[in-house]
Amino acid sequence: MPEEVLFKFERQMDRSEIADYLRTVADSLESGGSINLEAGGESVTMSPPARPTFEIKAERETSSSAPDGPGELGLEFELEWDEGAADDGDGDGSLTIE
């Protein structure tokens, strides 16, 4: 399925700044509210359903020219849901984050 990027923001920042953004998202999720994103004249509002799919991915990206060299590490948090679809079912396991 082709992907259409509705909003993108990327910048290095302090861990505490990132934590503040994540707390704001967490508060919106917990209250059932929308999530509003704004930066550089762009904006989008997303309204996750009560039970979106939650994905966490830890990855290492390496250069194809130096596959054994140092890579770039990443941690991605993603919420997904079908547009206009009702909430469906349970996940397939549990998650612990410490």
Side-chain angles (χ1 to χ4, degrees):
M1 178 184 315
E3 179 178 278
E4 175 188 0
V5 176
L6 302 176
F7 182 89
K8 182 173 181 174
F9 174 81
E10 185 173 334
R11 185 182 92 201
Q12 283 190 332
M13 57 180 68
D14 294 333
R15 289 165 54 153
S16 63
E17 290 177 285
I18 296 167
D20 286 342
Y21 284 117
L22 292 173
R23 272 189 210 92
T24 300
V25 171
D27 290 345
S28 293
L29 286 171
E30 191 169 46
S31 71
S34 296
I35 298 169
N36 303 301
L37 308 170
E38 292 184 31
E42 293 184 54
S43 67
V44 68
T45 299
M46 306 293 284
S47 300
R51 296 184 56 84
T53 299
F54 179 51
E55 178 182 340
I56 297 178
K57 186 189 313 182
E59 62 187 10
R60 177 185 296 116
E61 295 181 22
T62 56
S63 169
S64 58
S65 61
D68 294 331
E72 180 178 87
L73 298 174
L75 181 60
E76 297 179 7
F77 298 90
E78 186 171 333
L79 297 175
E80 290 183 324
W81 61 93
D82 292 331
E83 285 186 282
D87 291 335
D88 60 348
D90 294 323
D92 59 349
S94 62
L95 169 69
T96 300
I97 300 177
E98 297 178 2

